[in-house]
């Protein structure tokens, strides 16, 4: 969980929980400073902010020194969930759908100069495997560098650790593979069943099995002025470009595999 601060009408952040606690202890922040995190209905003073767990001097809270072990991470994750962090399963699903569409568009653009048609790309198992491997590595790089993929960033989502420390590449790569295997069932025909299972688990527990195992969480930024409009525009643009670029090849492939299944173009 990360916190946003509102000081003198200026929003800043996000900040890890331990940093905000430390700044409160040093007197750099007033307990009356406004704070917000995902799940809060509005900005509230830090002294009353759910999930922060800060007490004023003399209240008996031990000094944490800014370092947290795995048990502390579990406690922070539980406090974040107790504070009402919204799991937003549909937002996460749409973010991943956007990322996959964007990746297919980039892959189609990348192979075109080599004279390799997208229709062949779809039927070659080695090409599909290589593309998905590159996608998982790219996802891990995005999460390590900025904490979000393009789809997540557009929807105000980011992958974080409860203590707020940076996500190492090995961790994000492991998470990407776990989501691919467990959350999407290798994108095989049974993947909708995996979606339903994890949708239910996410709504019930507020987190997924892989995030709990890796001590990570998906958090939301404060609501933005234009809401989901930027995401919708970007998604429509990617889908239009994808259809214009590879649509004819895909329709020709479908007609070759299932003659008469594709109506003729007007």
């Amino acid at each position: 969980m990360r916190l946003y601060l509102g000081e003198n009408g200026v929003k800043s952040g996000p900040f890890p929980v331990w940093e905000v606690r430390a700044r409160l202890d040093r007197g750099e922040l007033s307990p009356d400073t406004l704070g917000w995190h995902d799940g809060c209905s509005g900005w509230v003073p830090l002294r009353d902010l759910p999930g922060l767990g800060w007490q004023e001097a003399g209240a008996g809270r031990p000094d944490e020194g800014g370092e947290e072990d795995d048990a502390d991470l579990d406690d922070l994750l539980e406090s974040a969930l107790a504070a009402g962090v919204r799991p937003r399963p549909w937002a996460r699903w749409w973010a991943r759908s956007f990322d996959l569409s964007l990746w297919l568009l980039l892959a189609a653009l990348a192979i075109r100069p080599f004279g390799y048609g997208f229709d062949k790309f779809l039927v070659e198992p080695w090409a599909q495997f290589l593309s998905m491997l590159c996608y998982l590595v790219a996802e891990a790089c995005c999460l390590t560098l900025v904490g979000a993929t393009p789809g997540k960033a557009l929807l105000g989502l980011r992958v974080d650790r409860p203590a707020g420390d940076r996500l190492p590449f090995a961790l994000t790569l492991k998470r990407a593979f776990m989501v691919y295997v467990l959350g999407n069932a290798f994108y095989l025909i049974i993947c909708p069943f995996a979606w339903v299972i994890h949708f239910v688990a996410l709504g019930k527990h507020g987190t997924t099995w892989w995030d709990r195992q890796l001590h990570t969480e998906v958090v939301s930024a404060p609501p933005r002025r234009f809401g989901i409009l930027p995401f919708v525009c970007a998604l429509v643009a990617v889908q239009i470009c994808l259809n214009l670029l590879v649509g004819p090849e895909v329709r020709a492939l479908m007609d070759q595999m299932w003659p008469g299944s594709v109506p003729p173009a007007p």
Side-chain angles (χ1 to χ4, degrees), residues 1 37-39 50-51 75-86 205-206:
M1 181 174 64
H37 63 71
D38 182 38
D75 292 340
L76 282 171
L77 181 57
E78 293 296 340
S79 68
L81 297 176
V85 175
R86 297 169 296 165
H205 302 292

Side-chain angles (χ1 to χ4, degrees), residues 19-91:
E19 181 179 338
V20 175
R21 288 175 177 171
R23 292 177 63 184
L24 283 166
D25 289 338
R26 294 193 299 265
E28 297 175 5
L29 290 175
S30 166
D32 295 319
T33 300
L34 297 179
W36 184 96
H37 63 71
D38 182 38
C40 292
S41 58
W43 295 84
V44 297
L46 292 178
R47 68 169 76 249
D48 302 321
L49 187 65
L52 180 58
W54 180 81
Q55 298 175 345
E56 297 190 48
R61 184 177 60 83
D63 183 13
E64 294 165 354
E67 296 183 358
E68 319 233 16
D69 57 17
D70 285 347
D72 295 326
L73 290 173
D74 282 332
D75 292 340
L76 282 171
L77 181 57
E78 293 296 340
S79 68
L81 297 176
V85 175
R86 297 169 296 165
R88 299 180 65 186
W90 281 109

Side-chain angles (χ1 to χ4, degrees), residues 16-260:
V17 172
W18 65 263
E19 181 179 338
V20 175
R21 288 175 177 171
R23 292 177 63 184
L24 283 166
D25 289 338
R26 294 193 299 265
E28 297 175 5
L29 290 175
S30 166
D32 295 319
T33 300
L34 297 179
W36 184 96
H37 63 71
D38 182 38
C40 292
S41 58
W43 295 84
V44 297
L46 292 178
R47 68 169 76 249
D48 302 321
L49 187 65
L52 180 58
W54 180 81
Q55 298 175 345
E56 297 190 48
R61 184 177 60 83
D63 183 13
E64 294 165 354
E67 296 183 358
E68 319 233 16
D69 57 17
D70 285 347
D72 295 326
L73 290 173
D74 282 332
D75 292 340
L76 282 171
L77 181 57
E78 293 296 340
S79 68
L81 297 176
V85 175
R86 297 169 296 165
R88 299 180 65 186
W90 281 109
R92 295 169 66 164
W93 187 87
W94 278 109
R96 183 161 297 275
S97 298
F98 176 86
D99 292 333
L100 285 171
S101 297
L102 180 61
W103 181 256
L104 286 176
L105 178 60
L106 295 176
L109 290 172
I111 64 177
R112 190 162 295 271
F114 300 98
Y116 198 78
F118 197 74
D119 52 345
K120 296 181 179 179
F121 174 82
L122 290 176
V123 298
E124 293 286 354
W126 67 267
Q128 297 176 25
F129 172 79
L130 181 61
S131 175
M132 185 53 61
L133 180 63
C134 292
Y135 169 79
L136 296 178
V137 172
E139 178 182 341
C141 290
C142 289
L143 295 181
T144 297
L145 294 175
V146 298
T149 60
K152 284 183 172 61
L154 286 169
L155 286 173
L157 301 172
R158 62 178 287 120
V159 180
D160 210 342
R161 301 200 79 178
D165 47 332
R166 185 176 181 180
L167 298 173
F169 177 75
L171 178 71
T172 56
L173 185 61
K174 184 177 180 180
R175 183 183 186 277
F177 271 97
M178 291 176 72
V179 174
Y180 173 58
V181 175
L182 301 175
N184 295 290
F186 299 96
Y187 290 104
L188 299 175
I189 194 172
I190 61 172
C191 66
F193 297 99
W195 295 342
V196 171
I197 292 172
H198 292 290
F199 265 50
V200 173
L202 187 58
K204 181 178 180 180
H205 302 292
T207 186
T208 57
W209 183 84
W210 50 85
D211 281 325
R212 183 171 291 276
Q213 292 297 313
L214 299 176
H215 301 296
T216 56
E217 59 180 350
V218 179
V219 297
S220 301
R224 292 174 291 185
R225 181 177 180 182
F226 298 104
I228 64 171
L229 181 60
F231 173 81
V232 173
C233 293
L235 180 62
V236 170
V238 169
Q239 291 297 330
I240 291 176
C241 293
L242 195 58
N243 184 63
L244 292 175
L245 187 63
V246 306
E249 297 176 357
V250 173
R251 285 191 288 270
L253 176 63
M254 293 179 61
D255 190 55
Q256 179 182 356
M257 298 177 64
W258 301 286

